[in-house]
Amino acid sequence: MIVVHDPRGGRVAASPTLAARPPSLAGLRLGILDNGKEKADALLRRTAELLERDGASLTFARKPSFSRVAPPEAIDALKMCDIVVTGLGG
Amino acid sequence: MRDAVTLEALGIPTAIIVNDVFEPIAHATSALLRLPDDYVAKNVVWLPHPTSNLTDERAAALIDDRIDAIRDVLLGRTRVAALAPAVPRTGAPDRESLETARAIVHGLAESLRADGADLVLSDFAEGTLAGELRIGELTCDDGSCIMPTDALERMVEAMVRPKIASLRSVTLREIRLIPD
């Protein structure tokens, strides 16, 4: 008898949990995660400026490399935030 | 997108702003991470590519146009049709220009291969030259023997543009090759 094995492996990741959304931005702590690409700072600065007008206060973090996930210290800096905007560039 | 998912898992609603040229990668990453089918549609706000050559004023204007969409993501409001990628790609691939570009960067790719990396150009359409910087086992420990991807994009652009006037931008994906 020939046994054929499925080579694809059996690891199945759980679907990530997405956060509940707040009813408004007023009084929330806003985090900005800049991936360091060219012009990301200008685009995200303007985003922060406009969202601060909604009453959000600002924390800013920057990735050392856009091609890698954010280092633990960047995530730690954003943990205190209620909402985050991240990006961008190219 | 992985950072956004990390933050979402910590209970922090996260909006992602991305250049529309990366839409296929966004969908592929979403599928890989087993995110809901509508994750990209609901959480990504697109900007027309490229953005690296924008003036600060133009960058601000682009965000001004999209700030309501960013608010919608953060508040979980229903998205509007205007949030689709700003410039859908409709142009046909330009094979001849792609081959020309490959010939121009041949020597550069060879020097990268000597350091354990490679430059592979795969597409030229609507003025955008696309490819990959493949990073394998480098001859240096700290990665300093190869230039950063964005610097390489600029170098390729400077090399190719004199021969291909229609070139608008170069986009390279950085790919880390896992050793066998």
Side-chain angles (χ1 to χ4, degrees), chain B residues 133-152:
Chain B
L133 170 61
R134 297 178 182 173
I135 300 174
E137 292 190 84
L138 299 178
T139 54
C140 55
D141 289 330
D142 59 0
S144 60
C145 52
I146 57 165
M147 68 179 72
T149 307
D150 57 344
L152 189 62

Side-chain angles (χ1 to χ4, degrees), chain B residues 35-43:
Chain B
L35 294 165
D37 290 343
D38 58 359
Y39 176 80
V40 171
K42 285 185 173 176
N43 294 283

